[in-house]
Amino acid sequence: MKRAILAGLLLVSYAGYAKGPTPGDSLSRKTVTVYTTAASTKLRLSATDKLSFSPAKQPLETEVCIFVDPAKSFQTMTGIGGALTDASAEVFAKLPKDKQAELLKAYFDPVNGIGYTLARTNIHSCDFSSDSYTYIEEGDSTLKTFNVKHDMTYRIPFIKAAIAAAGGKLTLFASPWSPPAFMKDNGSMLHGGKLLPRYYQAWANYFVKFIRTYESLGIPVWGFSVQNEPMAKQIWESCNFTAEEERDFIKHYLGPTLQRAGLSTKKLIAWDHNRDQIYQRASTILEDAAAAKYVWGIGYHWYETWTGSTMEFDNVRKVKEAFPDKNLIFTEGCVEAFKLDKVNDWALGERYGNSLLNDFNSGTVAWTDWNVLLDDKGGPNHVGNFCFAPVHADSKTGELIYTNSYYYLGHFSKFIRPGAKRIVASSNRTDLQTTAFVNKDGKIAVIVLNTSDKELTYKLWIKGNGTDVKSLPHSIETLVIN
């Protein structure tokens, strides 16, 4: 008797499903708008095609395909953006007013720009500052002299303008490059050195002062990293922590101090250095429950290439697999050794496209470029460490120079919005790389990167339906399914 009732229920269930829309029915009513940026063309985030789906049988092995499965979802996007440094702010302040408006729209307007929703800034000076400075008088471990007067000239007005351009909300996190000189064993903000144990509490208090001061000025602080590049002894502001030292500073000082100050909701980011040692650093900190409870996620950069390595995306994936309850955030990347005659090199954007796509496929929830704007020397930078940015300003004319990395970034930031979930996207050819997200409004964004010299036609295939898409040599496409 029970079997008969169960069989009847199953029949009713399948009959009800048959009357509703099938995946094929749904896709047949959707369109695919293709946006393209391609080498040797004038296409820059240009709408190049509008396609529709039709039934598609099992593809042959000889057919080039991108397979998407919206039913399988992964991490939720926090945001994509760049760094609002002293250097960017100073260059911005020197632009003509119309070019300032142009830059803000280009970066932060989701319709007429690329819609940045995430930003990073520095806690007092970094290499991309015109000088070294802190927010206290030398020797003031009580922080009675704490003030951000230095930032009021360029940086704070720039951050406020960016927030306004982003519609009044911008997810901002901050990073220190070095504690004040007197707190370190080398007596300098530069050249590495270590935070002296007797100043651990004073330095933790400094974070609280920074957050409260910026927020009192109308700049919400979403989170912060413990230390920028804690393994690097640089000629600029830097400070070194072993994994164990960073863990213990979080566990005994920074975490409890934030909690006592009522700031435990701020997102604490550990590591903030390269992918090469990300697993060793993450595991040392996150396997300690007393430290891990304060940590929102692990930040990382892409400069592991300085050792001769390629970008080590698999290390990022291993951290996500081992610590699935923690977040991954790309906190910095730029192309180094600026040369003005190289601003049109196509390799600039392709490096960004390759990193963004693979970092997201490895589980990353947020991605932050380095300086959003630099001058035509790749600065200002007080130690001559000049680098590329997506946009440079011509110091003579005030004109803005958009490198193709700006457009490659835009293929992600404009179409993958906060709250979007990554879904399965799979390529059957090494010449095409892909990732995909479904936004909260239901729109699907599929990114397809072609770094080859070939023009390829592929089929975008979803649940027995497909459409044919052309990929130009050295191009990036965003396919918006709506």
Side-chain angles (χ1 to χ4, degrees), residues 438-453:
V438 58
N439 286 287
K440 291 197 294 185
D441 62 4
K443 291 181 182 177
I444 294 173
V446 183
I447 315 291
V448 179
L449 180 67
N450 181 353
T451 58
S452 78
D453 297 328

Side-chain angles (χ1 to χ4, degrees), residues 91 338-340 374-379 392-396 401:
V91 174
F338 178 78
K339 292 182 181 178
L340 186 59
L374 293 172
D375 63 20
D376 48 7
K377 295 181 178 63
H392 288 268
D394 187 313
S395 58
K396 296 184 180 65
I401 304 164

